[in-house]
Amino acid sequence: MLTINSSQLDCTTFVETVIALAYTVGEGGTSWRDYAKNLERIRYRDGNLDGYASRLHYISDWIINNSSRNNFSEVTKQIPNASYITKTINFMSTHRDSYKSLADNDEYAKILEVEKNFVSHQYHYIKKIYISNKSTSTALKDGDIIALTTKMNGLDVSHMGLIAIVDGVPHLMHASMKAMKVIIDPLPLYKYLNNSKSLTGIRVIRLNQ
């Protein structure tokens, strides 16, 4: 079933909630049902909830599927200093014991089918060394959705949030595990990234108007 918990958000559900609310308001929707419909539209493959594997668990998959339905667009390659990386994404199947739902062999098989599409997957990103570069930082807009890329084997993205411009400098608005709430991080984005050995950079997504 579609699970909604507005009092407890992780980084992904925070971003999904913001997008779903933005679309609900933009469409003139005013009900909880309107919001839930938009959340399902964003969270699940082709907008349809059909079991555990129908959720767009990997952010690369989430971006591709939502972009194909014109829900939003990835603009990473349009940002100055963007480059690309090739990576096989298979973290869930290689860490099966970490996901209770994957104890079910049918669900596990479905995840393996999803992962077949992400063998040597190529995607654009902006390396964290360039985030403080003026041409890069000024290209980031208030409200941009950003996915923080990781060097972890089998995984493309390990954290998500929104860009908040503070005194002309990009910061990360996110559901912070450390603060246990949604915050605008006090560190500029480039410092936040540089403080993590596992983070490699960002991908940038924008809602379609």
Side-chain angles (χ1 to χ4, degrees):
M1 66 179 69
L2 178 68
T3 301
I4 300 174
N5 184 351
S6 58
S7 63
Q8 291 181 315
L9 300 169
D10 61 23
C11 66
T12 303
T13 56
F14 165 60
V15 168
E16 289 176 337
T17 295
V18 170
I19 296 172
L21 288 172
Y23 275 120
T24 300
V25 171
E27 294 164 353
T30 57
S31 73
W32 179 259
R33 191 176 297 276
D34 294 330
Y35 159 73
K37 181 180 179 181
N38 276 319
L39 186 61
E40 182 174 351
R41 162 190 171 190
I42 295 157
R43 182 176 287 176
Y44 296 94
R45 189 172 311 284
D46 301 326
N48 299 312
L49 192 163
D50 184 22
Y52 179 78
S54 70
R55 183 159 183 173
L56 298 162
H57 295 281
Y58 291 116
I59 299 306
S60 287
D61 196 15
W62 183 78
I63 290 172
I64 291 169
N65 191 268
N66 275 286
S67 296
S68 72
R69 292 182 285 125
N70 204 36
N71 287 336
F72 52 66
S73 300
E74 180 171 14
V75 297
T76 307
K77 66 180 180 181
Q78 301 170 23
I79 305 293
N81 296 306
S83 56
Y84 66 85
I85 187 171
T86 301
K87 195 170 186 180
T88 293
I89 302 170
N90 59 5
F91 187 88
M92 293 181 72
S93 65
T94 56
H95 295 77
R96 184 178 182 180
D97 291 345
S98 298
Y99 300 88
K100 292 189 294 183
S101 295
L102 296 189
D104 182 285
N105 287 332
D106 288 340
E107 294 293 351
Y108 179 65
K110 290 175 183 177
I111 290 297
L112 287 174
E113 283 298 312
V114 169
E115 292 177 349
K116 285 181 180 179
N117 297 314
F118 295 95
V119 176
S120 298
H121 177 59
Q122 188 177 98
Y123 54 91
H124 285 85
Y125 79 123
I126 303 162
K127 294 179 181 179
K128 62 184 179 181
I129 59 172
Y130 293 116
I131 302 301
S132 61
N133 182 282
K134 186 175 181 180
S135 64
T136 300
S137 64
T138 55
L140 299 175
K141 297 183 179 180
D142 212 32
D144 278 348
I145 301 156
I146 58 169
L148 281 59
T149 55
T150 179
K151 63 173 61 173
M152 291 176 64
N153 289 334
L155 196 61
D156 50 350
V157 167
S158 61
H159 196 46
M160 296 187 75
L162 306 176
I163 290 291
I165 304 298
V166 180
D167 296 328
V169 178
H171 286 243
L172 177 65
M173 178 186 288
H174 63 134
S176 167
M177 289 185 65
K178 183 178 179 180
M180 297 296 289
K181 61 181 180 180
V182 174
I183 63 169
I184 297 176
D185 205 276
L187 291 176
L189 178 60
Y190 75 91
K191 287 188 178 181
Y192 180 92
L193 291 164
N194 287 336
N195 281 354
S196 171
K197 292 181 179 179
S198 65
L199 295 175
T200 58
I202 64 170
R203 300 173 69 174
V204 186
I205 299 120
R206 286 180 185 153
L207 297 188
N208 296 327
Q209 301 298 321

